[in-house]
Amino acid sequence: AALARVATAARARGLGLVLVMVPNHLAAYPVGNAWWRDLLRNGPASRWADVFDVDWDAPEARLAGRLLLPVLGDHAGREVEAGAFAARICDDGEPVLVHPAVEVPLELGSLTSVLARVPALAALVGEIRALPPWSSDGAAREVRIEAESQLRAHVHGALTDPDVGRAFLEAVSTVTADPAALDSLLEAQPYRLARWRAGLEDLGYRRFFDVTSLVALRTDRREVFDLTHAALRRWVEQDLVDGLRIDHVDGLADPATYLRWLRELVGDRWIVVEKILEGTEDLPDGWPVAGTTGYEVGDLVDRLDLADAGRAPLERLAEDAGRDTDVDDVEDQAMAEVLDSLLSADLNRLVDLAVSLCESRRRLRDVTRREVREALVAVLRRFRRYRTYVEAGRPPSAEDLAAVQDVVDAVLAEESHHDRDLLELVRRLLRGEEAAGRVELEFTMRYKQISGHTRAKGCEDTAWYRLVTLISRCEVGADPDEWGIGLEEFHAAMSRRQHRWPTAMTAITTHDSKRSADVRARLGVASQWASDVVELVEAWWGREGRGAD
């Protein structure tokens, strides 16, 4: 009702309502996300398991079939021994384990020894023990989903009774007070609690960049799209929505299909996508959108203030301060670093797939895991765009084919120690020239998703804090290697945009901007008086010293 009032009031003033949609991820928050909570209770047998982008087939036995939750401050065993866990009953009757960092539900079958000691619940123990295990699939999974839901409702309902709740908490307290018993209870769960650093290496679900508390969705599945867009469908049917801004479109497994479904849902309403275009890159043909959210326009406006002649003296100043000013070198190093640290878990997942592909190819069976990892890092850190859009069953664009070709050629030319056959396999996979088997398709999808993460975390969030020649050039959607443009070039670029995307969004400051447009303008014009700036800074250094930073 409130949304309807907002929409009505806006239109009365000649305004529309544009929604920001985040289709790629949800909060991995057990308290507020009912689907995620059920996944923690039931693992791969949850009715919502197919909603999330989880890898249940981890190569390590200790993680296979289980969801790693890297949320603790220390090793789980040490937290257990420190008495950091306690049990409580929620208002709806659900028993949970509480830790200062997290509250997690408990798999029903893991509680049978406790329930047996509560007279009001003991009669349910036999039925609970007869449940198919949470690792079940197929028909057994369907049986478990229905039966577990009914049994859990009975347990929760009984535990809302204060006397039954007290009896349960007394019984479960003997478990939480005994490190061995508590450890056994935790080991019986479909999830594995772990210290937060474990997520850097072993995480089994796709995140939003390196944010472990945001879990990715499988929006490439139609049933997931329908579930996650149910509210939007209602609002469209009520005619409350005039436009949509789609966040982080490059994180989706199949942006083109997603946008086609979205267009079918919202009709002719305005749609723009948050997409960073690199160099001469344009949106793929066929995307049914009005254009981007306008990062590239903000960059063009910024560059009007820049004087190319000011770059050299400002670079010399940065070099005198001990900073590297070679943009490609700094970006390459930063992207390699984030792949080895922040994105290591995502890279490990990609390496697992690549090793599996090598095993099925006679000429590559002896390639080691280390060789695969190093080759993938070499390719990823040279990518100069966020991703390609080569999809099975669709003709690839010449731009995407050329982007892959150029990167692999550069690796072969500059790092000849890599296995040529391995790199050729990567090239064919990314260009869509290999047989489209399950593993091949998953590899190419995962590669396209991690390439955007590598670019964002490596460049925007790392390299561009190290490049200090002129920090207004280190902006989301910009290229620190590209400086001033004249009015003729600016007007030509805007004319091309007017011709191709006449109703795209124009923005010079966004939620991702590191510095607002007015701050960037003040910094940019300093390039027009670069010699004066250098002289002033050198005078400060001479008088005050350079300091530690």
Side-chain angles (χ1 to χ4, degrees):
L3 182 64
R5 290 197 299 272
V6 168
T8 300
R11 287 172 180 166
R13 292 159 175 79
L15 301 173
L17 197 67
V18 176
L19 302 183
V20 178
M21 293 291 295
V22 186
N24 187 53
H25 51 270
L26 289 176
Y29 184 49
V31 175
N33 185 336
W35 296 349
W36 183 250
R37 192 179 188 87
D38 193 74
L39 189 77
L40 299 186
R41 295 189 195 112
N42 294 293
S46 167
R47 69 172 69 243
W48 308 111
D50 294 337
V51 169
F52 299 104
D53 193 349
V54 176
D55 180 11
W56 297 106
D57 299 319
E60 290 189 60
R62 66 192 179 96
L63 297 176
R66 301 177 73 188
L67 185 70
L68 184 74
L69 293 182
V71 295
L72 305 180
D74 200 351
H75 291 262
R78 297 171 190 171
E79 298 274 15
V80 165
E81 292 173 1
F85 292 91
R88 80 175 185 93
I89 298 173
C90 301
D91 291 342
D92 65 356
E94 175 157 28
V96 294
L97 273 183
V98 180
H99 179 278
V102 71
E103 175 184 298
V104 286
L106 294 162
E107 195 271 330
L108 205 53
S110 70
L111 291 171
T112 52
S113 63
V114 175
L115 297 175
R117 297 165 57 189
V118 182
L121 295 169
L124 295 174
V125 168
E127 291 182 73
I128 293 172
R129 285 177 174 159
L131 282 172
W134 50 259
S135 56
S136 300
D137 57 12
R141 176 181 179 239
E142 296 304 313
V143 170
R144 177 187 167 90
I145 286 173
E146 295 307 316
E148 192 273 347
S149 176
Q150 295 173 17
L151 288 167
R152 183 172 291 281
H154 285 310
V155 172
H156 291 186
L159 289 176
T160 58
D161 181 289
D163 293 333
V164 178
R166 277 192 295 271
F168 175 87
L169 290 176
E170 287 176 9
V172 81
S173 66
T174 63
V175 175
T176 56
D178 178 354
L182 179 55
D183 187 56
S184 296
L185 178 64
L186 287 172
E187 284 298 299
Q189 304 308 314
Y191 52 83
R192 185 186 182 100
L193 289 173
R195 63 172 179 153
W196 68 272
R197 292 190 66 85
L200 298 176
E201 299 285 341
D202 296 328
L203 195 66
Y205 61 88
R206 189 167 61 86
R207 307 161 291 179
F208 175 68
F209 294 108
D210 62 332
V211 184
T212 306
S213 59
L214 294 173
V215 58
L217 298 167
R218 288 302 307 267
T219 316
D220 54 306
R221 295 172 174 158
R222 183 60 197 241
E223 63 273 18
V224 177
F225 175 91
D226 290 338
L227 278 169
T228 55
H229 290 66
L232 174 61
R233 185 178 299 278
R234 291 197 306 271
W235 297 334
V236 167
E237 290 170 350
Q238 296 170 37
D239 194 28
L240 303 179
V241 178
D242 298 289
L244 295 165
R245 176 198 182 279
I246 304 305
D247 183 77
H248 191 48
V249 71
D250 277 346
L252 297 171
D254 186 352
T257 297
Y258 170 82
L259 292 169
R260 187 177 74 250
W261 292 341
L262 187 69
R263 176 55 69 194
E264 292 169 358
L265 192 158
V266 304
D268 61 359
R269 289 169 175 82
W270 187 65
I271 302 175
V272 289
V273 292
E274 184 201 30
K275 162 68 184 171
I276 293 172
L277 300 173
E278 300 272 16
T280 59
E281 182 184 8
D282 200 352
L283 288 181
D285 291 329
W287 279 17
V289 300
T292 72
T293 56
Y295 289 113
E296 65 277 10
V297 177
D299 183 50
L300 285 170
V301 172
D302 285 352
R303 292 174 64 190
L304 284 171
D305 286 326
L306 297 177
D308 283 341
R311 182 173 181 177
L314 291 173
E315 283 185 341
R316 285 196 298 272
L317 185 68
E319 290 162 1
D320 287 345
R323 298 302 184 96
D324 189 349
T325 60
D326 188 298
V327 174
D328 283 342
D329 286 350
V330 175
E331 289 183 350
D332 284 352
Q333 177 67 25
M335 286 192 285
E337 287 178 15
V338 299
L339 285 167
D340 192 48
S341 55
L342 298 178
L343 303 179
S344 184
D346 307 84
L347 179 60
N348 286 342
R349 197 173 184 185
L350 190 67
V351 171
D352 290 340
L353 293 166
V355 169
S356 176
L357 290 171
C358 290
E359 280 292 318
S360 64
R361 287 160 172 78
R362 184 171 54 247
R363 290 177 61 87
L364 290 170
R365 285 176 190 156
D366 295 338
V367 173
T368 68
R369 184 180 179 85
R370 179 184 60 79
E371 289 175 307
V372 170
R373 185 183 181 92
E374 290 179 353
L376 289 176
V377 169
V379 174
L380 281 164
R381 69 184 179 84
R382 282 176 172 79
F383 240 64
R384 287 299 181 263
R385 59 175 60 190
Y386 279 67
R387 63 172 285 172
T388 60
Y389 301 92
V390 178
E391 305 291 348
R394 299 178 196 147
S397 70
E399 292 77 10
D400 280 347
L401 293 178
V404 174
Q405 184 77 28
D406 292 347
V407 167
V408 176
D409 283 349
V411 175
L412 288 169
E414 297 166 18
E415 299 185 42
S416 58
H417 62 280
H418 291 297
D419 188 289
R420 178 173 288 272
D421 284 351
L422 174 59
L423 287 170
E424 289 296 341
L425 173 62
V426 172
R427 188 205 306 266
R428 292 195 304 274
L429 286 165
L430 298 185
R431 286 167 58 99
E433 296 167 353
E434 281 288 301
R438 182 190 66 80
V439 181
E440 286 82 359
L441 289 174
E442 185 170 2
F443 175 88
T444 55
M445 178 180 72
R446 300 296 178 199
Y447 180 92
K448 287 178 286 190
Q449 289 173 320
I450 194 177
S451 69
H453 288 185
T454 304
R455 188 78 184 153
K457 301 306 293 184
C459 296
E460 293 174 27
D461 292 351
T462 304
W464 295 356
Y465 285 92
R466 299 173 179 176
L467 292 164
V468 297
T469 297
L470 189 63
I471 57 176
S472 58
R473 291 308 301 137
C474 298
E475 186 54 73
V476 178
D479 181 349
D481 238 355
E482 297 289 338
W483 276 51
I485 57 170
L487 282 175
E488 288 186 5
E489 187 178 352
F490 175 84
H491 287 307
M494 296 305 290
S495 295
R496 289 192 297 271
R497 194 168 191 265
Q498 173 71 15
H499 174 73
R500 182 81 194 276
W501 306 105
T503 57
M505 185 175 180
T506 297
I508 54 176
T509 296
T510 77
H511 72 291
D512 273 335
S513 296
K514 298 186 183 302
R515 296 167 187 87
S516 61
D518 56 338
V519 172
R520 297 198 309 272
R522 290 185 174 103
L523 291 166
V525 296
S527 65
Q528 300 173 27
W529 291 278
S531 297
D532 295 331
V533 170
V534 169
E535 183 179 347
L536 179 62
V537 172
E538 287 177 337
W540 286 341
W541 282 350
R543 186 174 68 248
E544 306 292 343
R546 296 186 186 180
D549 297 322

